[in-house]
Amino acid sequence: MKTRNLVLTGIMAALLAICAWISIPTAVPFTLQTMGVFLAVGLLGGKLGSLAVGVYLLLGAVGLPVFSHFTGGVGALIGTTGGYLLGFLLIALVMWAAEALLGKGPMVYLCSAVVGLAVCYLFGSVWYLYLYSAGGASADMLTVLGWCVFPFIVPDLIKLALAFALSRRLVPALSRQRT
C-alpha cells in the first residue's frame, strides 16, 4: 500500500474518533460517526474507507478511547451498543460492494449508503435486543427500534447528505494531490 493511502486511512480513522466524541447521550448516543463512515467511503473509496473503519474499530478494541464518551476496549464492542459500532463496518462494506459491482456514481453512493445504514440498524438492533434480554430485562424489537433506530433516521440521512456534499467537493482536491 502506498504511503499516501496509509496516511489517508489513518486520518479518516482519526476523524471517526473525533466524530464519536461529538455526542449527545441517549440509550444509543447521537454522534457524527455515521457521517464519518459515509465520508471515509466517499473520499477514499470502498476499499480504503472500509479499512479506515476497521482501523478505527481496532483502535477502540485495544482500549484507546475512540468511541463515544471517550470509551474504548473490547467491552464497548461487546456491550449492548457494540452491534451498532460493528455495523459501521457493515455500512462501509455494503458501500464497497456496491461500488465494486455498480461503479462510483452518485446514485450508487447514496443508495448503497442507505442500504448499509439499514443493515447497520438491523444488526445493531438485533445485537441490542439479544444482550438487553440476556441481562434479564424485557423488551421487544419494536421497543428497541423506538430507542435505538427511529430517533436516528432523520439525523443519519442529514449526515449522509452532508457527507455526500463534502465528498463531491473534496474528491477533486484529493485527486489533484495525487499528481
Side-chain angles (χ1 to χ4, degrees), residues 15-42:
L15 180 65
L16 276 164
I18 293 167
C19 288
W21 296 337
I22 302 167
S23 69
I24 300 169
T26 57
V28 175
F30 281 94
T31 68
L32 294 178
Q33 289 167 293
T34 49
M35 183 174 162
V37 172
F38 298 139
L39 196 57
V41 175

Side-chain angles (χ1 to χ4, degrees), residues 95-133:
M95 293 178 76
W96 182 14
E99 178 184 296
L101 293 171
L102 304 171
K104 288 189 175 192
M107 288 308 294
V108 172
Y109 175 89
L110 291 169
C111 291
S112 66
V114 169
V115 170
L117 188 59
V119 169
C120 176
Y121 286 157
L122 178 63
F123 183 78
S125 297
V126 169
W127 183 291
Y128 189 99
L129 179 62
Y130 174 76
L131 291 178
Y132 189 78
S133 299

Side-chain angles (χ1 to χ4, degrees), residues 123-150:
F123 183 78
S125 297
V126 169
W127 183 291
Y128 189 99
L129 179 62
Y130 174 76
L131 291 178
Y132 189 78
S133 299
S138 177
D140 60 8
M141 182 56 88
L142 189 58
T143 302
V144 170
L145 292 173
W147 292 338
C148 304
V149 174
F150 297 149

Side-chain angles (χ1 to χ4, degrees), residues 8 28 41 56 68 70 78 80 104 106 112 140 163:
L8 289 172
V28 175
V41 175
Y56 164 73
S68 65
F70 296 94
I78 62 172
T80 53
K104 288 189 175 192
S112 66
D140 60 8

